[in-house]
Amino acid sequence: TPVAIDLRFILSILKINTALERIGDFAKGIAKFVIDDKIKFYNQELIKDLEVEKMFSETMEMFESVKKAFELGDTKLASSVFVSDDILDEIHRKSYDIIADHVKEDPELIYQAMVILAVIRKLERLGDHCTNIAENIIFYYDALVIKHQGNTEIGKE
């Protein structure tokens, strides 16, 4: 007879699987933008101002953290991704004004800026999916439902 933890495991795995599939879709979409033949060289000042490398690095760290958290059953590690998600959200939020300023100075950057903005949006969504995985890890191991709550306090006891 299955017990509560068995059912939580099944539910968590189903949701994590869906999040992983979405992460793969977003990664494929980013790859398509990066190898776009219409752009030979990306404007490095725009890339730097938009913090694209920081965003990519945060996203990769989030993914590694949830992977390790699941393997170790470490809900504190899983909850650490909530802070990183806030960072990604802030970079994404600021990106519109930064792009507008760059495009005003150099209208030829419009296509490139649109591509970079699409990549930023996909990275932000990747972070959201890592957060969903973290929530499911916490649900599985601690039997806590934290969806749509103040996630930054989870796992700090």
Side-chain angles (χ1 to χ4, degrees):
T1 306
V3 292
I5 195 165
D6 297 327
L7 297 174
R8 287 197 313 270
F9 176 75
I10 291 168
L11 286 172
S12 296
I13 291 300
L14 288 171
K15 290 180 180 183
I16 289 170
N17 184 58
T18 300
L20 289 172
E21 184 178 353
R22 298 291 178 263
I23 287 171
D25 292 342
F26 283 117
K28 181 180 177 182
I30 290 169
K32 284 182 177 182
F33 281 123
V34 170
I35 60 173
D36 187 339
D37 287 339
K38 295 177 187 173
I39 301 173
K40 299 299 180 207
F41 299 99
Y42 283 89
N43 181 299
Q44 292 305 302
E45 184 180 342
L46 182 59
I47 297 286
K48 181 180 175 239
D49 290 349
L50 290 169
E51 300 181 272
V52 175
E53 290 179 17
K54 179 180 180 180
M55 199 170 196
F56 177 76
S57 176
E58 286 286 336
T59 305
M60 294 306 296
E61 285 178 29
M62 289 173 76
F63 190 74
E64 287 299 318
S65 292
V66 294
K67 178 181 157 197
K68 190 172 183 180
F70 184 78
E71 290 170 355
L72 300 176
D74 187 341
T75 58
K76 287 183 183 181
L77 180 57
S79 68
S80 72
V81 303
F82 302 135
V83 173
S84 294
D85 189 51
D86 291 341
I87 293 168
L88 296 181
D89 292 343
E90 179 65 16
I91 292 171
H92 176 245
R93 188 190 60 72
K94 294 187 315 187
S95 65
Y96 294 93
D97 291 335
I98 293 168
I99 286 175
D101 291 342
H102 276 271
V103 169
K104 283 178 193 172
E105 289 179 28
D106 184 0
E108 291 187 22
L109 286 177
I110 290 174
Y111 181 78
Q112 191 174 132
M114 289 172 49
V115 168
I116 295 169
L117 184 60
V119 169
I120 286 171
R121 178 66 181 135
K122 288 181 184 299
L123 287 170
E124 189 271 332
R125 290 296 297 137
L126 279 167
D128 291 344
H129 286 294
C130 286
T131 299
N132 291 344
I133 292 171
E135 290 170 350
N136 281 288
I137 291 168
I138 293 166
F139 171 69
Y140 169 52
Y141 285 107
D142 289 350
L144 293 174
V145 177
I146 58 170
K147 192 90 174 151
H148 306 297
Q149 293 180 13
N151 297 347
T152 55
E153 295 304 313
I154 302 299
K156 290 188 177 178
E157 298 89 41

